[in-house]
Each structure stands twice: as structure tokens, then as C-alpha cells.
């Protein structure tokens, strides 16, 4: 079946360092991938997305890398700040044009 | 800011009762989605509306769950004969067109936490 998984459930990073959150997906038909950030008690907040015809996309302090050969997605956060503490989800559109499938999430914690 | 809003923020009910959860999407957004999120898990798709019609309801777990969007704006998720296993956060999202792509981000509301005792 369709699934989106993550390599690590938790990640602890020193403030100011770069964070890298990894994600594996299984559906070769997926052509759209999204990263969401979810803080406690809030809904998921869109961070960045990428289509399958790209291998890299950059935003403000964030970069998403897509490796279709090994079905791997990563989110890089530059100069991690305390406000980056949250659970990060990768998601894919699977075989649907509109429905997105979320992974189980990685919790990012920041050490002062 | 006019984001997605959901009411109530918390709902506690007893097993067997009926509940309604409301979602107000971003104004002008054609597509509306309902997801369910259990503790420690990612959101799971329930149903997607394109305008007034349910374009994909494949995620609804059983016939106790039903959703409507009669005027193509506000949506209500209805759960009959609630069970303890229905306890979760119910999230609503909306997007401009309903077609996944760079220009059609799904924006989420804060969710309704449903607890069935």
C-alpha cells in the first residue's frame, strides 16, 4: 500500500546548527511532496513543497531535496532556532491528484 | 488573518452520542479536506470536497462518518454513535483549486480535539 516513512522519530540539534530531517516514500506514482511543521496544539503548517520534476527547491532557511532513484526526501533547516522546535511531517500525493498522505513525523528539539 | 477555522476546539462526548464538527475554510478556496490525527501519528485523509460535492470519500472509516458542504464553503463532519476509538484530533484544510501542485497548498485549521468517554 501507499506509505510515507521516516528514518528517525526524534532529532536533537544544537541551536545555530543545521538540521536535516529525512523521509522515505514508497509510491513511485507520487509526483508532489510537501513538508509540514506542527507545533503542539496547532494544525500542520506548510513549509515547502517540490514536484517530481525537480530535485531541489529552496525557501527561506529551508531546502528540500528529492532523490527519486531511492525514493528519498529530506528537509534541511539552516541555522536552527528555538522556534523551529516542532514535529515535522513529510507528505506525498500518492496516486491521487488531491489527497495527500502523511508520514508519522520527526520531532525536532533544539539544545541551547 | 482569515485562515481556516474550526469549532469547537474541544469536544467531549459519551459513547453512542452524535457529534458535529465545523470547518470554515479560507474564503474563495474551492477545495476542502478533512483529516483525522491520532496521538503521535500523522494526519489521515478522510474526505475531500470540490465545491459542494464530495470528490473523494475513500478515507471515511465507516458509515457512521458523514460530511457535508451544502453551499461550497462551510463544512460539517458528522459522527453518529460515537465510539471510544473515534477519539482524535479532526483537522480541516482548504486549498484554492483542489489539484495538488506548487500553486495549490493545503492550509490547515487548528483542529477539533474529540474525546469519546
Amino acid at each position: 500500500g501507499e506509505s510515507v516513512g521516516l528514518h528517525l522519530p526524534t532529532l536533537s540539534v544544537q541551536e545555530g546548527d543545521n538540521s536535516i530531517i529525512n523521509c522515505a516514500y514508497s509510491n513511485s506514482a507520487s509526483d508532489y511532496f510537501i513538508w509540514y511543521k506542527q507545533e503542539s496544539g496547532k494544525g500542520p503548517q506548510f513549509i515547502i513543497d517540490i514536484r517530481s520534476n525537480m530535485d531541489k527547491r529552496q525557501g527561506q532557511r529551508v531546502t528540500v531535496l528529492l532523490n527519486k532513484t531511492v525514493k528519498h526526501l529530506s528537509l534541511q533547516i539552516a541555522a536552527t532556532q528555538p522556534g523551529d522546535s516542532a514535529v515535522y511531517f513529510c507528505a506525498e500525493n500518492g496516486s491521487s491528484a488531491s489527497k495527500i498522505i502523511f508520514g508519522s513525523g520527526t520531532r525536532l528539539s533544539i539544545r541551547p | 488573518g482569515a485562515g481556516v477555522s474550526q469549532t469547537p476546539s474541544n469536544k467531549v462526548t459519551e459513547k453512542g452520542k452524535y457529534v458535529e464538527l465545523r470547518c470554515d475554510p479560507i474564503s474563495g478556496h474551492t477545495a476542502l479536506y478533512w483529516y483525522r490525527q491520532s496521538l503521535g501519528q500523522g494526519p489521515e485523509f478522510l474526505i475531500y470536497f470540490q465545491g459542494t460535492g464530495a470528490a473523494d470519500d475513500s478515507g471515511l472509516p465507516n458509515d457512521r462518518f458523514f460530511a457535508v458542504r451544502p453551499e461550497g464553503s462551510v463544512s460539517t463532519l458528522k459522527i453518529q454513535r460515537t465510539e471510544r476509538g473515534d477519539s482524535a484530533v479532526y483537522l480541516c484544510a482548504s486549498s484554492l483549486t483542489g489539484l495538488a501542485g506548487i500553486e495549490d497548498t493545503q492550509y490547515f485549521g487548528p483542529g477539533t480535539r474529540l474525546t469519546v468517554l
Side-chain angles (χ1 to χ4, degrees):
Chain A
E2 299 171 342
S3 68
V4 176
L6 295 170
H7 294 310
L8 295 172
T10 60
L11 178 65
S12 179
V13 175
Q14 189 78 32
E15 182 178 350
D17 287 352
N18 296 337
S19 302
I20 300 176
I21 302 172
N22 294 303
C23 176
Y25 66 94
S26 61
N27 193 328
S28 300
S30 294
D31 63 1
Y32 178 58
F33 305 88
I34 318 104
W35 281 99
Y36 281 91
K37 171 186 179 183
Q38 188 173 28
E39 297 173 284
S40 182
K42 297 183 179 180
Q45 176 188 357
F46 171 86
I47 301 173
I48 192 168
D49 56 9
I50 189 168
R51 292 202 73 87
S52 60
N53 61 354
M54 305 169 70
D55 54 20
K56 180 179 180 179
R57 194 165 192 230
Q58 290 185 290
Q60 187 177 13
R61 277 202 312 120
V62 294
T63 301
V64 55
L65 298 178
L66 175 63
N67 186 329
K68 295 178 287 294
T69 303
V70 294
K71 297 179 189 170
H72 184 267
L73 196 65
S74 69
L75 177 70
Q76 300 179 3
I77 304 173
T80 310
Q81 303 169 358
D84 295 328
S85 292
V87 176
Y88 289 80
F89 292 99
C90 65
E92 62 177 317
N93 68 329
S95 55
S96 166
S98 303
K99 176 172 64 178
I100 57 176
I101 301 160
F102 284 80
S104 57
T106 293
R107 181 173 299 282
L108 178 64
S109 63
I110 313 303
R111 301 192 304 272
Chain B
V4 178
S5 61
Q6 293 186 245
T7 55
S9 56
N10 281 282
K11 176 69 177 178
V12 180
T13 191
E14 294 179 342
K15 181 175 178 294
K17 299 290 188 182
Y18 167 82
V19 296
E20 289 189 353
L21 312 179
R22 177 188 167 108
C23 172
D24 278 90
I26 293 171
S27 178
H29 278 195
T30 302
L32 184 146
Y33 313 78
W34 284 98
Y35 292 82
R36 178 168 70 174
Q37 186 174 26
S38 299
L39 190 64
Q41 301 294 318
E44 291 180 291
F45 170 82
L46 295 176
I47 186 170
Y48 150 59
F49 286 89
Q50 183 66 261
T52 60
D56 183 348
D57 65 356
S58 62
L60 294 178
N62 51 60
D63 61 6
R64 295 187 297 106
F65 289 74
F66 189 71
V68 295
R69 194 185 185 201
E71 298 178 357
S73 179
V74 170
S75 177
T76 305
L77 179 65
K78 308 180 180 192
I79 311 174
Q80 298 177 321
R81 305 184 303 281
T82 52
E83 300 178 357
R84 292 192 181 89
D86 298 335
S87 296
V89 174
Y90 288 82
L91 293 162
C92 177
S94 71
S95 70
L96 189 60
T97 68
L99 296 176
I102 298 296
E103 308 302 325
D104 197 51
T105 304
Q106 291 188 24
Y107 295 93
F108 282 79
T112 294
R113 181 174 298 278
L114 175 67
T115 303
V116 181
L117 301 176

